[in-house]
Each structure stands twice: as structure tokens, then as C-alpha cells.
Amino acid sequence: MKAIGGYFEFELHKGPHYHKQALRLNTGRNCLEYILRCRGYEHIYIPYYGCEVMLEPINKLGVRYTFYRINEHLEPIDLPELGDKEAFFYTNYYALKNDFIKALALRYGNQLIVDNAQAFFAQPLEGIDTFYTARKFFGVADGAYLYLCGKDNADELPQDESWNRMNHLLMRHDGGAQFGFEAFHTNNGSLHNQPIKRMSRVTEAIMQSIDYAEVMQQRRNNFKFLHQQLGEQNGLKHVINGPVLGLDYPFYIEDHTLRQRLIDNQIFIAKLWPNIADWCEEGSLEWNLMNYTFHLPIDQRYGIDDMQRIVDVIKNRQ
């Protein structure tokens, strides 16, 4: 029974989810586990250039896996022929590979699994199992969206609770990024080995309060500005075809000093994915992408003045 009266909760605007037709689960890795369970896959092809957390559900279910390499276009060097109970897993890198995913879908059909964790605004393809994560794009502690072709029993899952892993969001709001940094890592770590659950009520409420049109416009503007300013120096310019609604602006440059210079100027960037140092040899394409791709923030919190500050640091103006 709904309580009436008493103390106030967060007051959030209630609008639609961006992914209105998707299943709402608690984490991206659990979206993959849900797919593996529903499809009964026994073998999956996964990229070396990817996050190790995707191995969590694969190992949990005892699914065999084979790594594959990618080329300078961020595409598999070799495409295997799939047998029954086999799947091909592909990451939409930096939200740049939408067209290539269409080609993969023609080849593999519903045996393709698309990871859109870096491409929240990319539209899913009909009949292709596709998932998204929320916390990489928005101020939430968890939450994921899954498009699954066919029947599901998600309504029978228990609902997650997020209240106990949200303190880093409040700490950053009051005290800044560094104040909440340790709590952020602790809360991220708490997502390991979580059972599959439905998205929590608090994450749902926050995700329904977002002005997605405004977010998309801000990200597009910021990406466009950085590419105009840095595109000629960017080793990934050959795969960037205009403004992209991705997670960040991927800037590839073999500059060993840049990360520290950015940090010294209070510009904090993620390093994806450190596990590659254990998986791939030094000097390989995947190793170089891990070490020399700088994931510059373009998100909705920032404007052109902030982008100019990033550019100034990169061009040694600060």
C-alpha cells in the first residue's frame, strides 16, 4: 500500500524512458547473462578490445568463449561461421559502428549480440539482442536496458534497490569529483556478481526525469566542437563521420604526458579497459587503443567553454 504523508522524497519530473520498449534490468553484464540464459548459447565470440566484466556472466554460466582481434576500423579481422548455440558479441565502439552493426546483423541474424554501453542513443535493430547501460551516461548508480527478441519473464524478477550505492552522486554534488571518488569505486565494485534484477525504483525515477532531447543536443555540440579543434591530430579520424552521440570524444594520440596534464588541470578521463594489458601483447592494436585513446568528456554537464579548456590543455596552452 502506498504511504500518504510523512517526509519528502526526491521530487523528480516523471516522463518516459528513452528506451521505452526495452526490458529494464539492473546492470549491463546481467543483460548479457539474461540473453545467454534465454538463448541457451554454449559458445560465444568476444573481442579482446573490451571490458573484462563481460566475462562475469560467461564464466558464471560455463559458456565457452573465443577472443577475436579487431583492425584499425574497429572491426573484426576475421568473422567466424557460427554453428548452433553459438553467438557473436560486438561492441559499438564509441557509438561509431552503427552501419557496421547492420552488416553484422545481415550476416548473423539473431545470433548477434550488440553491446551499446557506449552508444545509449543508438537505435536497436529489429530482431537483434541489444543492451545499454545507464550509469555511463547519467547520474545513476546502476540500471540497464535490454531489447530481447522473443518472450521473456522479466516481470517475475525481483526489483533491485539502489539507495545504498548512491552516496558518490550526492558527495560529488556537495563536495566535487575528488570528494566522492573513493565512494564511486566502492559502489562500482558492489555491482560485481549481482543477481539479475529489475531496475530499481530510484534509478527508474531518475531516468524518467531526464530531458533527452537537451542531452542529445549538448553532447552533439560538444563532440562537434572537439572534432573541429582536434580532428586533424586524432588517430581515429578515419572512423569518425561527423558528430556522434556517444559516451565521449575518443582522441587517439601517442602522447605519454597528456593524461597527467589533463589530471593536473582537473580534467578527469576514464582509461578503457586496463584488463587488455593482461590479454594482449604490448604494441598490439588493442594495447595501443587502451593506452593512447583519451576519452574526452562531452556530456550534458558541459558547454563549449569547457570544451575549449580541454583543447587548450591538449594544445599546450595551459
Side-chain angles (χ1 to χ4, degrees):
M1 181 181 298
K2 180 179 179 181
I4 299 175
Y7 61 89
F8 281 88
E9 68 271 28
F10 282 122
E11 297 187 55
L12 300 170
H13 167 72
K14 188 170 184 179
H17 287 272
Y18 185 80
H19 293 289
K20 295 186 286 291
Q21 305 304 317
L23 304 179
R24 299 189 287 274
L25 302 182
N26 53 343
T27 65
R29 71 199 78 174
N30 279 348
C31 288
L32 178 56
E33 180 178 339
Y34 198 86
I35 293 169
L36 295 175
R37 286 183 179 276
C38 288
R39 301 287 183 227
Y41 289 128
E42 298 174 357
H43 182 222
I44 186 171
Y45 290 87
I46 59 175
Y48 277 112
Y49 190 52
C51 184
E52 64 182 343
V53 302
M54 289 299 108
L55 286 178
E56 189 177 297
I58 291 171
N59 289 328
K60 178 180 179 180
L61 299 178
V63 175
R64 292 181 295 109
Y65 61 90
T66 300
F67 282 114
Y68 64 82
R69 309 302 290 253
I70 59 170
N71 60 26
E72 66 275 10
H73 297 287
L74 310 177
E75 299 172 3
I77 293 175
D78 296 305
L79 290 174
E81 295 296 326
L82 297 183
D84 291 340
K85 301 297 182 179
E86 289 191 317
F88 191 85
F89 180 92
Y90 183 73
T91 297
N92 189 355
Y93 296 111
Y94 322 133
L96 296 171
K97 304 307 297 182
N98 295 306
D99 288 341
F100 180 67
I101 287 170
K102 293 177 183 177
L104 283 178
L106 290 175
R107 180 183 179 94
Y108 291 131
N110 62 10
Q111 289 177 277
L112 173 66
I113 301 173
V114 175
D115 174 2
N116 266 336
Q118 297 184 1
F120 185 86
F121 297 103
Q123 294 301 307
L125 298 179
E126 185 175 356
I128 303 300
D129 295 338
T130 304
F131 66 89
Y132 307 75
T133 60
R135 64 192 174 92
K136 297 181 186 300
F137 279 76
F138 306 101
V140 292
D142 45 44
Y145 295 89
L146 169 62
Y147 290 90
L148 183 74
C149 182
K151 295 182 179 180
D152 68 86
N153 61 349
D155 290 342
E156 300 174 10
L157 295 170
Q159 189 157 37
D160 201 4
E161 295 181 348
S162 299
W163 60 269
N164 58 345
R165 63 173 80 103
M166 292 188 65
N167 58 324
H168 67 282
L169 299 169
L170 300 174
M171 291 170 74
R172 172 157 190 164
H173 199 76
D174 269 350
Q178 291 171 305
F179 181 55
F181 189 66
E182 184 176 343
F184 167 73
H185 276 285
T186 298
N187 291 333
N188 273 358
S190 73
L191 297 175
H192 290 303
N193 295 309
Q194 288 288 321
I196 303 175
K197 295 181 179 180
R198 288 181 289 127
M199 186 182 290
S200 73
R201 291 183 179 89
V202 68
T203 298
E204 283 217 44
I206 294 171
M207 295 302 292
Q208 288 180 281
S209 73
I210 294 167
D211 185 336
Y212 290 106
E214 182 178 340
V215 168
M216 293 166 71
Q217 188 59 53
Q218 194 65 49
R219 283 180 173 269
R220 187 180 290 110
N221 291 345
N222 290 340
F223 188 104
K224 181 179 180 180
F225 180 85
L226 287 181
H227 194 52
Q228 288 173 341
Q229 297 293 316
L230 302 172
E232 287 306 309
Q233 298 174 253
N234 192 347
L236 290 171
K237 64 183 179 181
H238 61 287
V239 293
I240 298 176
N241 299 310
V244 175
L245 286 169
L247 180 61
D248 49 51
Y249 179 73
F251 180 60
Y252 183 95
I253 186 170
E254 295 187 11
D255 183 340
H256 298 274
T257 70
L258 179 54
R259 188 175 302 276
Q260 190 59 51
R261 285 192 286 117
L262 290 167
I263 292 171
D264 291 343
N265 283 273
Q266 297 286 293
I267 300 168
F268 303 108
I269 59 173
K271 185 175 183 179
L272 307 180
W273 291 282
N275 51 277
I276 290 168
D278 297 323
W279 293 356
C280 298
E281 65 276 12
E282 184 174 347
S284 65
L285 177 63
E286 290 87 351
W287 190 93
N288 286 337
L289 286 169
M290 174 194 69
N291 281 284
Y292 300 125
T293 302
F294 299 90
H295 300 274
L296 306 180
I298 60 165
D299 64 75
Q300 58 273 14
R301 297 171 291 178
Y302 308 114
I304 298 303
D305 288 346
D306 302 301
M307 299 301 102
Q308 185 64 62
R309 181 176 150 203
I310 294 172
V311 170
D312 288 343
V313 172
I314 291 173
K315 294 186 174 180
N316 290 309
R317 295 176 189 166
Q318 294 183 1

